[in-house]
Amino acid sequence: TEQRDFGLGPPTSLLHHGHSGEQEVEWVEAQDEDGLASRRVFFERLKQRYALAASVDSLVLDYRRELLRFLPPPTEATVDAIRTARKGAWRIGIVTNGSALQEIKITSSELADLADGWCISGIVGCRKPDPDIFRLAAELCGSQLHGAWMVGDGVRSDIAGALAAGIDSIWISRGRSWDE
């Protein structure tokens, strides 16, 4: 069975708990809700299904402690696209929902060097799809929303937020069908 990282530490973590197989991989991926499930809810589900002895709090803490070891840098194609946009006088901003941990992810994954600024919901007090987070991000990048584009993979956060902010958007499907 292919081993994958589920945010539980090393990719073999589930095997250590006596579980394997594609059905288990699919179940865990479904519980993650494409990264949108709160980590607390995600680990409550895993704790219950796999009868884990560790507390949910310790699982979340371990996840946060270990996460940075598993963050890949942006792909070459992504880096090239961002650099090309910046050469064309575009400002690049990152708008993300989440806690201050997102800032550590941005800097650890080398995205900080590619962006003019970033706006993290848990720090600024509003979250996508609220148009205020997009306005604030534009300000932090030394720009404005007029003529801006939102490129994102979240229909309800990224695309709905762009619509609410009055800007154009590009949806990255990541193999999913548009059913909104």
Side-chain angles (χ1 to χ4, degrees):
T1 300
E2 178 184 359
Q3 295 178 7
R4 299 181 192 170
D5 175 24
F6 303 105
L8 292 171
T12 57
S13 291
L14 288 180
L15 299 178
H16 290 275
H17 296 289
H19 298 276
S20 62
E22 192 60 34
Q23 287 180 329
E24 290 304 310
V25 169
E26 290 172 10
W27 184 87
V28 170
E29 287 177 341
Q31 303 317 299
D32 184 50
E33 298 174 16
D34 203 27
L36 298 176
S38 82
R39 294 303 87 186
R40 176 167 258 323
V41 169
F42 176 72
F43 285 111
E44 284 171 354
R45 294 170 180 167
L46 267 63
K47 179 177 173 57
Q48 182 177 357
R49 181 169 180 105
Y50 300 113
L52 302 175
S55 71
V56 170
D57 287 339
S58 71
L59 291 170
V60 171
L61 184 61
D62 286 347
Y63 164 80
R64 290 187 174 144
R65 214 180 281 136
E66 295 294 322
L67 174 67
L68 299 179
R69 293 186 331 135
F70 297 97
L71 287 178
T75 65
E76 240 180 272
T78 298
V79 171
D80 289 345
I82 292 171
R83 287 188 177 140
T84 299
R86 289 187 84 178
K87 285 179 188 170
W90 285 90
R91 296 284 189 155
I92 305 297
I94 299 170
V95 179
T96 182
N97 288 340
S99 69
L101 178 62
Q102 295 294 82
E103 189 162 31
I104 296 169
K105 289 180 184 179
I106 291 167
T107 56
S108 297
S109 67
E110 303 171 15
L111 286 171
D113 296 333
L114 299 170
D116 294 294
W118 50 84
C119 207
I120 300 166
S121 66
I123 295 173
V124 301
C126 56
R127 57 187 292 117
K128 297 182 289 184
D130 185 333
D132 288 341
I133 197 167
F134 295 95
R135 287 186 200 101
L136 183 55
E139 288 174 23
L140 291 170
C141 291
S143 191
Q144 57 184 333
L145 281 182
H146 178 73
W149 283 79
M150 171 65 196
V151 178
D153 64 353
V155 174
R156 291 185 179 97
S157 56
D158 300 325
I159 307 308
L163 184 63
I167 61 176
D168 292 315
S169 62
I170 298 172
W171 178 58
I172 307 295
S173 71
R174 294 189 12 229
R176 296 170 293 175
S177 298
W178 181 271
D179 60 356
E180 299 298 319

